DNA sequence: TGTACATCAGTGAACGCGCGTTCACTGATGTAC
DNA sequence: TGTACATCAGTGAACGCGCGTTCACTGATGTAC
């Protein structure tokens, strides 16, 4: 039963939206096409009417995930607020909603160059955002702001990834997030040393 | 055909050793038991003579990978040398040999608490190593050294993960490693700002 | 505007394949006497 | 020390299952006249 072109477009977007959540939760290899389609409200047979392959969906879903995060970022307040939100305890337990750089980095490294290119764009966006804020809020030079932004991006993604890779009740789960947030905040305030807890 | 107890032990260790490489290269979900056993020189049927499940092997392999890295670390020179080695371009293209925190973080986050506990121990070891070097080389207080070590660990693992998740020919692949190495080196030298490239 | 036909998104069965796991068997090793 | 038997690591076939992908079919939508 054929449907309207608009409905087709909406259905396709729903599949990508669901995939963006499920891939972040379970990894590219941890969830099947049938599961994605079922979560989107369809049977698996129609998948190839929309996408060339599972890998193609992975690329699109990763792209959408980065776009969603970029929008959230743009709506956030100052840089300190963004950092606190990124390294929050609630973020640690909501893999389906958070920055894909922290959940799908390993998966992307094992994927095609298509996925990696999407990943690079997303990381570049995060770096550019932080760089921009550093220039405006901290009045740093373009070069200085850029280098610091790259460093902060690596630290943020690494901290969230590591915090999620340890047991919920392990001290490191909280300590990594707190210590790195303190360190990041100290850095954007131009202090050379970390606060004494 | 039964073999000596020593041979049994050696065979078991060979399987874990091979798994430690293959899991880092392909992820827990990206490589099968039959492949691991074949790479170790056996048929797949004997797997359960050594391990309770694939998940159990994942935990043991992750543990061994962290141990191997800890030994390499202990043999490295000063902290600056370790940082340069960790963020080297060759490390980026040898996933099977590098720190599992940078390759299996996402996989561990989706695994059992057994695997996560192993992961936590490994990350703790990396933090302790850096903390120790910071105290000895930079004469920092225990608390200051610890906080900085946590921050550096997050940045190192994040940088290596991100560098591997972008295409080989993408500028970010080199830039992330270089910029973060510069940033880390500046930090352990007690400078408040990053070098101007 | 109305009609006839082509299009195509979604369905559900089916394909081949590889997965994790189990099992009967083999035969050299380990052990009890 | 020698003998008889139990043990068990490794083999390879087999299990059920879920995977990514294909396909014939349906029927409402889109379109050509």
């Amino acid at each position: 039963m054929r449907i309207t072109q608009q409905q087709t477009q909406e259905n396709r977007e729903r599949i990508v939206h669901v995939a963006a959540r499920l891939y972040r939760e379970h990894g590219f290899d941890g969830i099947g096409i049938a599961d994605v389609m079922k979560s989107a409200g369809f049977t698996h047979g129609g998948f190839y009417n929309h996408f060339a392959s599972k890998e193609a969906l992975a690329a699109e879903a990763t792209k959408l995930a980065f776009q969603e995060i970029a929008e959230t970022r743009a709506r956030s307040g100052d840089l300190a607020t963004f950092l606190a939100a990124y390294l929050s305890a609630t973020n640690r337990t909501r893999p389906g909603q958070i920055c894909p750089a922290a959940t799908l980095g390993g998966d992307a490294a094992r994927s095609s160059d298509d996925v990696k290119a999407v990943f690079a764009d997303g990381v570049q966006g995060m770096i550019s955002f932080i760089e921009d804020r550093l220039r405006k809020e901290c009045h740093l030079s373009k070069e200085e702001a850029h280098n610091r932004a790259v460093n902060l991006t690596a630290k943020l993604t690494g901290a969230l990834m590591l915090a999620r890779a340890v047991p919920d009740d392990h001290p490191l789960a909280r300590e990594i997030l707190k210590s790195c947030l303190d360190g990041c905040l100290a850095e954007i305030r131009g202090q050379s040393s970390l606060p004494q807890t």
Side-chain angles (χ1 to χ4, degrees), chain A:
Chain A
M1 34 177 145
R2 199 179 192 188
I3 57 178
T4 64
Q5 290 174 322
Q6 181 185 343
Q7 190 59 249
T8 298
Q9 180 63 16
E10 288 176 11
N11 290 353
R12 189 195 147 95
E13 285 170 7
R14 182 142 42 98
I15 295 168
V16 178
H17 181 77
V18 165
R21 174 173 61 83
L22 292 178
Y23 280 147
R24 276 179 283 181
E25 288 175 354
H26 303 103
F28 292 151
D29 293 335
I31 195 82
I33 283 175
D35 291 311
V36 171
M37 292 298 279
K38 189 177 179 185
S39 291
F42 304 104
T43 53
H44 65 279
F47 177 82
Y48 293 90
N49 289 331
H50 293 293
F51 310 98
S53 64
K54 190 189 181 186
E55 183 92 8
L57 175 61
E60 284 207 47
T62 302
K63 188 173 196 171
L64 177 63
F66 270 115
Q67 284 172 351
E68 288 175 359
I69 294 301
E71 285 166 20
T72 302
R73 216 157 46 200
R75 271 188 263 103
S76 72
D78 58 9
L79 189 51
T81 306
F82 162 73
L83 296 172
Y86 197 100
L87 297 176
S88 67
T90 67
N91 248 16
R92 185 182 165 277
T93 58
R94 290 186 167 187
Q97 324 297 329
I98 67 176
C99 178
T103 57
L104 292 173
D107 296 67
R110 303 169 206 128
S111 298
S112 69
D113 271 3
D114 280 357
V115 173
K116 288 184 182 177
V118 168
F119 209 91
D121 285 346
V123 172
Q124 191 75 69
M126 182 167 171
I127 293 171
S128 296
F129 167 81
I130 296 177
E131 178 181 337
D132 200 53
R133 291 294 169 102
L134 283 174
R135 293 197 70 181
K136 285 177 181 163
E137 295 183 22
C138 305
H139 310 96
L140 300 182
S141 72
K142 182 168 169 52
E143 195 171 1
E144 173 89 7
H146 183 73
N147 278 328
R148 281 188 181 270
V150 172
N151 276 258
L152 283 169
T153 298
K155 194 197 287 189
L156 290 171
T157 57
L160 188 50
M161 172 190 67
L162 293 180
R164 295 207 341 102
V166 303
D168 289 345
D169 56 2
H170 195 286
L172 276 179
R174 301 175 124 254
E175 187 189 4
I176 291 171
L177 295 180
K178 170 161 180 38
S179 187
C180 287
L181 176 56
D182 289 346
C184 289
L185 291 177
E187 186 175 340
I188 68 171
R189 283 173 191 143
Q191 303 169 3
S192 67
S193 67
L194 291 169
Q196 305 292 320
T197 309

